């Protein structure tokens, strides 16, 4: 293990080594982290569903009715009626023909990209796409190319040069980019896909439950229903539980039911999680109050920080990066904030490019205005003390 010891020492030398923090209770606006109460600005629990009484009640009920485990992979005997119901609930909510749920968003990308592409195809991927897309693409036998982040001219250049050389071409993008909070140029991507007869694949992990009417996602936000071939979402972020899904045509979902490897080789989602998620979607179907609250908080928080002179990059969503640059300085800022009562994770290379370190504030519907005021105050004072402003 000498080689790994050397690697770990390298992390320490660069000032980016850290222990994983321990949360001693539920994911709320204020959490007890490593034994200390802090304002939580780091979760993806956008709507506050992770500890919501209605979801918890459904989860407990499902444990009574179905037990704690599903007992097998979905394709053998792990496919309970609530799993089938969840597929349908999501398809209906998203206004898409069909849906298939996986154990996580990560597993969904692993399973789907590989199954829908083959040798002789080309995958064109945005350079800032999520790690699970990158890994999913690696599992495919198709060729791959990367276009500059949200650069439509670069995407068209690749399509123009390469389209004749391949059978199918699949363009993959995040819906909302998780480290910057910017939204994919989906209308332009769809237009280019039509022009060059390519398929489109949007991983909307940070858009689902956030953008569009009551969180119907980036496709709904741009009113592009029926025009994106594969829409991926996570159930682990705004929906508050765990899991991932793909919405697509009936035939595409039929194919995935036969070929998506996480579905074939990994046990089905827990019944409790499944039931809680169904409840989350029925809450979003019934009311926009959850997403309204989220956006109200996000606007409030971002406005305050911008007025104080912070560089928030080009965020268009509740994801609020505060750009710092230097890796060690970013980690020190995050560490000092934690000592002063605000938990905002530092994001550095390799999660983002070298020299593009930032702390990433995640506002949720759970935060009160007082908590947001307090967080802004602590961030401001700390930044001044560290000469970051
Ligand atoms: C978080 C995220 C995932 C992974 O989702 P999980 O359900 O947590 O596995 C996939 N894609 C993107 C774009 C994400 O941001």
């Amino acid at each position: 293990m000498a080689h790994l010891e050397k690697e770990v020492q390298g992390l320490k030398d660069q000032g980016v080594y850290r222990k994983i923090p321990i949360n001693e209770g539920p994911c709320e606006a204020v959490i007890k982290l490593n034994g200390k109460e802090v304002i939580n600005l780091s979760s993806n629990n956008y709507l506050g569903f992770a500890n919501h009484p209605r979801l918890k009640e459904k989860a407990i009920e499902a444990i009574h009715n179905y037990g704690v485990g599903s007992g097998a992979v979905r394709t053998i005997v792990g496919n309970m009626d609530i799993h089938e119901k969840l597929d349908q609930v999501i398809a209906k909510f998203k206004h898409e023909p069909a849906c298939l749920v996986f154990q996580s968003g990560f597993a969904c990308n692993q399973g789907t990209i590989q199954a829908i592409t083959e040798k002789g195809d080309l995958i064109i991927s945005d350079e800032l796409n999520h790690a699970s897309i990158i890994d999913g693409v690696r599992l495919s036998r198709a060729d791959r190319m990367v276009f500059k982040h949200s650069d439509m001219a670069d995407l068209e250049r690749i399509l123009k040069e390469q389209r004749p050389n391949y059978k199918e071409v699949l363009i993959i993008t995040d819906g909302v980019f998780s480290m910057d909070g910017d939204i994919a140029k989906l209308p332009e991507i769809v237009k280019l896909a039509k022009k060059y007869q390519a398929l489109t694949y949007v991983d909307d992990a940070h858009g689902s439950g956030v953008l569009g009417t009551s969180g119907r996602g980036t496709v709904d936000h741009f009113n592009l229903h029926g025009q994106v071939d594969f829409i991926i979402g996570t159930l682990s972020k705004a929906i508050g539980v765990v899991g991932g899904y793909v919405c697509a045509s009936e035939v595409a979902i039929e194919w995935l039911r036969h070929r998506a490897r996480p579905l074939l080789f990994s046990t089905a989602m827990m019944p409790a999680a499944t039931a809680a998620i169904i409840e989350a979607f029925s809450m979003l179907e019934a009311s926009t109050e959850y997403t309204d609250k989220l956006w109200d908080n996000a606007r409030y928080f971002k406005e305050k920080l911008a007025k104080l002179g912070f560089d928030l990059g080009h965020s268009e969503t509740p994801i609020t990066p505060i750009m710092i640059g230097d890796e060690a300085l970013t980690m020190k800022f995050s560490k000092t904030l934690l000592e002063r009562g605000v938990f905002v994770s530092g994001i550095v290379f390799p999660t983002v490019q070298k020299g593009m370190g930032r702390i990433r504030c995640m506002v949720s519907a759970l935060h009160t205005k007082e908590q947001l005021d307090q967080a802004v105050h602590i961030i401001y004072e700390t930044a001044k003390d560290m000469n970051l402003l």
Side-chain angles (χ1 to χ4, degrees):
M1 293 297 127
H3 67 302
L4 296 184
E5 255 169 50
K6 208 175 121 208
E7 294 290 351
V8 171
Q9 188 54 48
L11 297 177
K12 289 179 179 167
D13 295 344
Q14 294 157 39
V16 294
Y17 176 88
R18 61 170 168 192
K19 288 221 158 63
I20 298 176
I22 300 170
N23 178 11
E24 293 165 30
C27 185
E28 284 286 348
V30 172
I31 53 175
K32 201 168 166 200
L33 203 70
N34 298 335
K36 185 177 170 230
E37 291 222 329
V38 293
I39 297 172
N40 175 14
L41 279 182
S42 285
S43 88
N44 299 316
N45 182 22
Y46 288 107
L47 302 176
F49 284 180
N51 190 40
H52 197 286
R54 281 181 60 178
L55 274 72
K56 292 202 293 191
E57 194 180 307
K58 291 294 174 183
I60 292 163
E61 197 182 293
I63 289 174
H64 287 309
N65 294 335
Y66 294 90
V68 291
S70 47
V73 302
R74 283 188 74 174
T75 48
I76 299 184
V77 76
N79 191 40
M80 293 164 161
D81 53 4
I82 47 174
H83 293 115
E84 286 288 317
K85 182 174 174 193
L86 179 56
D87 290 343
Q88 287 158 21
V89 161
I90 297 174
K92 179 169 171 283
F93 176 77
K94 301 280 283 188
H95 306 313
E96 295 297 328
C99 174
L100 183 63
V101 168
F102 290 80
Q103 304 87 342
S104 72
F106 200 105
C108 181
N109 281 327
Q110 305 300 287
T112 305
I113 298 169
Q114 176 180 225
I116 61 174
T117 54
E118 59 179 8
K119 207 167 161 36
D121 295 343
L122 173 67
I123 299 171
I124 312 178
S125 182
D126 187 289
E127 68 177 337
L128 292 190
N129 277 347
H130 188 257
S132 60
I133 295 176
I134 296 169
D135 288 8
V137 171
R138 281 185 183 142
L139 292 173
S140 165
R141 289 177 202 278
D143 286 350
R144 66 211 58 164
M145 288 180 187
V146 170
F147 65 97
K148 289 196 199 110
H149 175 54
S150 281
D151 184 333
M152 294 301 108
D154 198 38
L155 173 59
E156 178 152 25
R157 176 188 62 77
I158 296 173
L159 283 165
K160 204 180 224 161
E161 285 172 15
Q162 301 295 335
R163 185 66 189 93
N165 305 330
Y166 291 95
K167 285 187 293 185
E168 303 295 336
V169 172
L170 180 69
I171 304 169
I172 306 187
T173 182
D174 277 22
V176 172
F177 289 86
S178 53
M179 297 304 148
D180 295 276
D182 55 325
I183 304 173
K185 292 177 179 162
L186 218 46
E188 285 97 323
I189 291 174
V190 164
K191 215 178 273 171
L192 286 174
K194 279 189 189 144
K195 185 169 169 192
Y196 293 92
Q197 291 173 332
L199 295 164
T200 45
Y201 184 112
V202 176
D203 179 350
D204 211 19
H206 282 279
S208 43
V210 176
L211 283 173
T213 312
S214 216
R216 282 180 173 78
T218 307
V219 171
D220 186 78
H221 170 76
F222 287 118
N223 200 13
L224 289 169
H225 291 288
Q227 300 187 66
V228 174
D229 298 292
F230 297 91
I231 304 166
I232 279 66
T234 182
L235 304 165
S236 326
K237 290 178 175 140
I239 302 304
V241 190
V242 71
Y245 60 86
V246 50
C247 290
S249 65
E250 305 256 6
V251 67
I253 297 299
E254 277 305 303
W255 176 246
L256 290 173
R257 281 174 172 259
H258 290 84
R259 282 294 183 278
R261 292 166 71 82
L263 194 83
L264 270 48
F265 298 107
S266 183
T267 299
M269 178 186 278
M270 281 178 71
T274 312
I277 295 163
I278 292 171
E279 183 68 2
F281 279 104
S282 78
M283 287 157 68
L284 292 178
E285 283 275 9
S287 169
T288 63
E289 67 183 286
Y290 309 100
T291 47
D292 291 346
K293 182 78 195 302
L294 167 67
W295 280 94
D296 183 45
N297 275 351
R299 284 191 193 104
Y300 181 82
F301 183 73
K302 289 168 85 168
E303 247 173 59
K304 286 209 139 186
L305 287 174
K307 251 187 217 148
L308 291 169
F310 285 104
D311 175 6
L312 308 183
H314 40 272
S315 168
E316 304 168 79
T317 61
I319 297 171
T320 311
I322 298 179
M323 310 307 284
I324 306 297
D326 180 74
E327 277 73 28
L329 203 57
T330 303
M331 297 315 283
K332 185 165 174 242
F333 189 33
S334 163
K335 191 164 161 263
T336 311
L337 288 173
L338 179 59
E339 285 160 14
R340 297 180 180 186
V342 182
F343 183 51
V344 197
S345 44
I347 311 260
V348 296
F349 179 81
T351 308
V352 293
Q353 281 177 304
K354 276 217 166 96
M356 296 287 278
R358 77 231 21 209
I359 60 162
R360 188 182 58 154
C361 310
M362 303 293 284
V363 183
S364 83
L366 283 174
H367 292 100
T368 63
K369 294 277 157 51
E370 293 69 34
Q371 287 165 340
L372 294 176
D373 288 345
Q374 200 188 340
V376 168
H377 176 73
I378 293 170
I379 290 168
Y380 180 62
E381 291 298 322
T382 307
K384 270 201 315 195
D385 291 350
M386 288 180 64
N387 292 318
L388 295 174
L389 264 180

